[in-house]
Amino acid sequence: MKKLSIALLSVVAISGCSTFNSSGPIAVANMEPTQGNKAQGTVSFIKKGDQLLVDARLTGLPPGAHGFHIHEKGDCSAPDAMSAGGHFNPTGKPHGSPMQAERHGGDLGNITADANGKAELQMTIPLSEIDVSKSGASSIVGKGLIVHADPDDYRTQPTGNAGKRLACGVITLR
Ligand code: CU
Ligand code: ZN
């Protein structure tokens, strides 16, 4: 991690900060399919004031709605991605929808794929309960990002009953 920071600093020094656009992505998760699945893509996290813009572009999904969450561990090593643990929940709240105040910090709701299995989602979430700093209990950096087989019902505790994990990625600072 220290090596990475030094590398980033030298890029800034060489380019005179021009590559560091405040509206560009500050963190990215490259989503890879779990065993037997085809879902993949990229999810970018862009800081806009006190909001975080989540920009997800996925392919290879079954058509329809799929639960979409930040999970507590940035570990996609298990074939079914269960290694990513449960939902990221830095404030100790119940599971809910991204529209509710009472929800896990990692509850991003659902992402919906079209008939071709393609899904694009742009949403903003407040940076009050989570952040994108390099470390700290509320940071999403180094956490897992999961797309599920089934829709999140926003009610079932603590998972939203979203079923199996189709794709997994680790949220990494750019
Ligand atoms: Cu999940
Ligand atoms: Zn949750």
Side-chain angles (χ1 to χ4, degrees), residues 69 71 87 146 148:
H69 317 121
H71 283 237
H87 295 184
I146 296 282
H148 289 268

Side-chain angles (χ1 to χ4, degrees), residues 57-171:
R57 291 153 199 269
L58 301 170
T59 58
L61 283 164
H66 301 273
F68 185 40
H69 317 121
I70 299 164
H71 283 237
E72 60 189 344
K73 293 178 199 161
D75 182 355
C76 298
S77 61
D80 58 1
M82 288 303 286
S83 47
H87 295 184
F88 180 48
N89 184 20
T91 51
K93 290 188 173 170
H95 176 73
S97 90
M99 310 305 287
Q100 292 173 289
E102 287 292 297
R103 61 176 179 84
H104 299 144
D107 289 344
L108 302 181
N110 285 294
I111 184 166
T112 302
D114 66 16
N116 299 314
K118 197 174 153 188
E120 292 193 357
L121 172 73
Q122 282 84 38
M123 65 182 293
T124 52
I125 48 175
L127 279 165
S128 50
E129 293 182 348
I130 58 158
D131 66 62
V132 281
S133 58
K134 260 179 210 163
S135 58
S138 59
S139 177
I140 65 169
V141 174
K143 302 298 188 291
L145 188 63
I146 296 282
V147 179
H148 289 268
D150 301 325
D152 185 330
D153 66 9
Y154 301 144
R155 281 184 298 275
T156 306
Q157 299 299 329
T159 62
N161 197 30
K164 287 185 175 161
R165 304 173 181 197
L166 298 184
C168 182
V170 179
I171 300 170

